[in-house]
Amino acid sequence: MTANGRVDATVPHWGTYQNEIYLAGLGGEIPRLPMTYAELERSAQGVLGAALTSYIAGGAGNEQTQRVNVTAFDRYGLMPRMFVKATERDLSVDLFGMHLPSPLLMAPVGVLGLTPPGGHGDIVTAQAAAATGVPMIASTLMSDPMEQVAAALGDTPGLFQLYTPTDRGLAESLVSRAEAAGFRAIVVTLDTWVPGWRPRDLAHSQFPQLRGHVLANYVSDPVFRRLAAGAGADLDDPRPVAPYWAAVFGNNLGWDDLAWLRSTTDLPLVVKGVCHPDDARRALDGGVDGIYCSNHGGRQANGGIPAIDLLADVVRAADGAPVIFDSGVRQGEHIIKALALGATAVAVGRPYVYGLALGGRDGVAHVLRSLLAEADLLMAVDGYPTVADLTPDAVRRVTTTG
Ligand SMILES: Cc1cc2nc3c(=O)[nH]c(=O)nc-3n(C[C@H](O)[C@H](O)[C@H](O)COP(=O)(O)O)c2cc1C
């Protein structure tokens, strides 16, 4: 949006993706990649194999939380407005000093490097970020070091997600590497200092990190190398490193750690996994710059509350500070509803991983462009020309679902 509140005609018109598809159809070409989430999930799981499917698709307990994360969106309905002339739309948002072409982000996913094809899914995802302008939140758990991933982002900004290790020196080293690599914010995940109870993964006895996978940021880190070598680990063989990694992985942070965490970086600091408004307020009062409202896609704690139902209260508590939302976003409609409920930006998890599995960079780009095209066309039809127009008045609670 321009300073005078008008739509900037130079911003991407995400909805034109459908024109590309229909026009290609005139030449006899139909989309190679799925157009519905159900088909995307089904096809991707066909190429991922059983163990990776369980790691990506599975959640905690009987997976009730991850199911309701998605279905809860059906209890919100969008209100169409007429005589608006939303002929041009502007989905751009400002976040931590970045002007982004859309409110969509890629949530951190620590298994991209294992997702076919090729074993370099973190770099391939960064290339998709470069191609689409949708920022990647790069996980601590990667198969290639963060510096190489950052280099593939092109002009698109990246954010770095930190799993805070028990050793403060290692945490500080990871953060300073992220700063040096050009990441634009540090996102600290609070809800995963221990893995949740995940029956699907347990049934395969499969936890990738314990097999030495996705540890590139650790084995390339000078502090980790010093600590692991001191403990007798063979750094050239990732498998023996894994037990040492497990020992330093998860720091169960308390409020008394927040001042230190804040002191680790001058970059914007965001805390991920915050669902209670009191926690949001206290974290902001303690110096963080933004809140990431998420229940980890239902992977960590079952028996929870749909994340979308928690968003509005967190936004109120944040009192104008940026709030990123994820968990359960499967369609463009979900992005619009989360924005109307007050999110500043919305992240997507599993869907882009399935795009990666099916089509590498182009597969990720297809998923992101489809989500944004649907969001853009909803804004067109329902009469909301800019993200600022998506206020709580744009959604109503509905009691019936189809
Ligand atoms: C396979 C997988 C790995 C994940 N790894 C991480 C991670 O490394 N760091 C993190 O903060 N969140 C991680 N997440 C959680 C996502 O960032 C995000 O919160 C979640 O996927 C959102 O839910 P959704 O998949 O339903 O969209 C992971 C999620 C999945 C599916």
Side-chain angles (χ1 to χ4, degrees):
M1 202 175 15
T2 60
N4 62 9
R6 292 237 174 76
V7 166
D8 177 352
T10 62
V11 298
H13 289 181
W14 300 104
T16 57
Y17 191 37
Q18 74 169 357
N19 305 353
E20 270 179 48
I21 293 170
Y22 286 135
L23 285 173
L26 297 179
E29 197 183 312
I30 59 163
R32 193 178 60 78
L33 293 158
M35 295 305 308
T36 65
Y37 180 71
E39 183 55 30
L40 179 75
E41 187 181 44
R42 196 167 37 245
S43 304
Q45 293 182 0
V47 303
L48 283 167
L52 258 185
T53 290
S54 108
Y55 190 74
I56 295 165
N62 73 357
E63 304 183 349
Q64 164 77 356
T65 301
Q66 75 174 32
R67 276 192 298 279
V68 297
N69 273 344
V70 179
T71 56
F73 279 99
D74 294 341
R75 298 201 311 268
Y76 297 87
L78 292 167
M79 179 62 77
R81 302 302 302 268
M82 295 297 126
F83 287 118
V84 175
K85 281 195 177 171
T87 318
E88 306 279 336
R89 277 85 53 204
D90 182 350
L91 273 71
S92 67
V93 295
D94 292 306
L95 185 69
F96 306 128
M98 301 175 280
H99 186 66
L100 304 175
S102 89
L104 189 60
L105 309 171
M106 284 186 270
V109 167
V111 79
L112 300 175
L114 296 183
T115 304
H120 296 281
D122 301 288
I123 289 176
V124 173
T125 300
Q127 290 167 344
T132 56
V134 174
M136 171 187 187
I137 309 175
S139 170
T140 310
L141 298 169
M142 297 200 277
S143 293
D144 290 296
M146 65 172 97
E147 290 80 4
Q148 291 176 27
V149 175
L153 287 166
D155 294 333
T156 301
L159 296 79
F160 180 74
Q161 176 266 325
L162 179 74
Y163 279 132
T164 314
T166 50
D167 184 274
R168 284 190 170 187
L170 175 55
E172 287 160 9
S173 178
L174 290 167
V175 169
S176 67
R177 284 174 59 195
E179 287 176 346
F183 288 101
R184 303 283 294 275
I186 304 294
V187 176
V188 178
T189 299
L190 300 173
D191 60 12
T192 313
W193 58 273
V194 65
W197 178 256
R198 297 181 193 161
R200 283 207 226 189
D201 290 339
L202 291 162
H204 291 276
S205 186
Q206 171 72 268
F207 198 72
Q209 296 89 303
L210 288 180
R211 295 173 181 234
H213 296 304
V214 298
L215 302 183
N217 281 327
Y218 296 88
V219 293
S220 61
D221 191 276
V223 175
F224 181 85
R225 291 182 76 81
R226 199 171 60 241
L227 293 169
D234 175 359
L235 289 162
D236 297 322
D237 185 350
R239 277 190 177 230
V241 168
Y244 185 72
W245 165 83
V248 295
F249 168 72
N251 193 342
N252 189 7
L253 298 169
W255 289 113
D256 54 353
D257 292 303
L258 184 54
W260 162 75
L261 204 57
R262 174 66 277 182
S263 75
T264 59
T265 184
D266 292 330
L267 287 176
L269 183 68
V270 185
V271 280
K272 178 171 186 272
V274 173
C275 294
H276 194 294
D278 292 353
D279 294 345
R281 193 60 257 158
R282 192 165 172 188
L284 288 161
D285 290 343
V288 309
D289 300 286
I291 300 295
Y292 193 143
C293 176
S294 161
N295 62 19
H296 215 102
R299 295 167 64 75
Q300 279 296 89
N302 196 37
I305 301 162
I308 191 66
D309 290 341
L310 300 164
L311 175 61
D313 283 345
V314 168
V315 168
R316 254 187 299 280
D319 195 22
V323 176
I324 301 172
F325 171 81
D326 81 21
S327 295
V329 172
R330 300 289 175 266
Q331 284 148 201
E333 159 222 330
H334 298 161
I335 299 172
I336 299 297
K337 288 175 179 173
L339 292 171
L341 291 166
T344 315
V346 179
V348 62
R350 293 175 179 95
Y352 85 83
V353 188
Y354 293 141
L356 174 67
L358 287 176
R361 185 197 73 160
D362 293 348
V364 175
H366 167 74
V367 169
L368 301 175
R369 293 184 72 198
S370 299
L371 286 165
L372 285 168
E374 186 193 345
D376 183 28
L377 292 167
L378 267 178
M379 289 169 70
V381 175
D382 281 348
Y384 296 97
T386 73
V387 172
D389 295 306
L390 291 165
T391 66
D393 190 49
V395 276
R396 297 284 189 280
R397 291 287 290 205
V398 291
T399 48
T400 52
T401 55

